[in-house]
Amino acid sequence: FGLAYELATVKTAAWFQGGEEFISPFSLALSWLVGLVALNGWAFFSYHRVFTRRFWANVGNGMLEPPLDENGNPVPAQNNNREAEIAGNRMDWQGKQGRIARFFAVWKSCLTQWDWEKVDKVALLDEFAIPISRQLASSLVGSSLSFVFLMHFAPYLFRMEKGHIMLPFLGEVGKGIFRRAVFRMCMFVHILVQLCSSFRAQLAGCFEAAHAAARDDRYLIGEILMNYEG
């Protein structure tokens, strides 16, 4: 994550043109630190379900309404639905029973209580490390391969001169600026595709709702028809 962030936002046009050092120990350490902070911050906010609408609803209505649980239901005095809540959050990333919480719970038991029997391959690898590593590696590798592919065909599409490239409507643009813009575009498109793939169920629901609304409007379903001639 840190390396992808550095390539997409930090690297200058001169670097993309080959005028700066390709890689250095300092840049690697900085990328690792940025990625570590970002991932731990994301894990912290996910643990507290900050990325859910229910969290912000509770923030806005906490002073006026009774507190709600992670599923949006009023918190009773005696919570007897613990097992149902755990089962409902089994495949959820966020919350105190989500994947992130289970991942850090295993590490906490191992490092603070030396309870190595709590090591769970499913919680550590299958539900957490492997999916995150796959998504992060896919964004970096996929964007890089797309960038290399486009740069291979760029000389056949645009006229290039020493240090510059001629673009329609823009005129003469530096090669470094052009390459940086192309890489950022590849990164943006790849992340957008990943988000659409992750939220495909929600997007499908939105399309179905729009289709149903258009169908109802076309066939006047639910409309009151007035007979002005009668």
Side-chain angles (χ1 to χ4, degrees):
F1 178 83
L3 185 58
Y5 173 81
E6 182 179 8
L7 292 175
T9 61
V10 177
K11 292 299 186 182
T12 63
W15 185 87
F16 278 93
Q17 195 169 354
E20 296 180 359
E21 186 179 5
F22 180 74
I23 197 170
S24 65
F26 175 76
S27 64
L28 284 177
L30 187 61
S31 299
W32 177 82
L33 180 61
V34 170
L36 180 65
V37 173
L39 288 178
N40 280 276
W42 168 76
F44 174 81
F45 290 130
S46 297
Y47 177 82
H48 293 284
R49 302 185 71 89
V50 175
F51 304 111
T52 60
R53 288 180 295 179
R54 182 58 54 191
F55 173 85
W56 296 105
N58 286 339
V59 171
N61 301 327
M63 300 299 296
L64 303 176
E65 299 178 357
L68 305 177
D69 61 14
E70 297 177 350
N71 298 320
N73 303 316
V75 178
Q78 299 279 336
N79 189 359
N80 297 323
N81 298 323
R82 187 68 172 178
E83 296 181 359
E85 180 183 354
I86 294 175
N89 290 332
R90 177 60 60 183
M91 298 304 295
D92 190 11
W93 285 91
Q94 303 188 66
K96 296 181 179 180
Q97 301 297 331
R99 296 188 183 187
I100 296 175
R102 294 195 295 272
F103 175 83
F104 285 102
V106 172
W107 279 110
K108 180 180 179 181
S109 299
C110 295
L111 298 179
T112 61
Q113 303 174 7
W114 297 101
D115 188 3
W116 296 99
E117 294 182 356
K118 293 294 183 65
V119 174
D120 186 0
K121 174 181 176 294
V122 175
L124 294 177
L125 297 178
D126 298 340
E127 292 185 352
F128 187 85
I130 293 178
I132 290 179
S133 300
R134 184 189 301 115
Q135 292 296 328
L136 295 179
S138 175
S139 63
L140 178 60
V141 175
S143 302
S144 301
L145 292 178
S146 301
F147 171 75
V148 172
F149 177 80
L150 292 176
M151 288 298 98
H152 178 75
F153 287 96
Y156 302 100
L157 301 176
F158 308 106
R159 184 166 61 90
M160 290 190 175
E161 299 178 357
K162 186 177 181 180
H164 296 85
I165 183 172
M166 299 299 298
L167 297 178
F169 307 108
L170 297 178
E172 191 177 80
V173 178
K175 284 186 178 180
I177 298 176
F178 174 74
R179 291 174 178 173
R180 183 179 62 181
V182 171
F183 183 83
R184 290 178 176 178
M185 181 190 68
C186 294
M187 180 69 71
F188 173 78
V189 171
H190 196 87
I191 293 176
L192 183 63
V193 171
Q194 286 182 295
L195 291 176
C196 292
S197 177
S198 300
F199 293 95
R200 58 183 178 273
Q202 292 84 343
L203 293 176
C206 293
F207 282 118
E208 290 178 0
H211 175 73
R215 180 194 58 195
D216 294 346
D217 183 69
R218 179 179 180 181
Y219 294 103
L220 302 178
I221 298 176
E223 300 290 339
I224 299 177
L225 302 180
M226 304 296 295
N227 185 6
Y228 293 99
E229 297 181 355

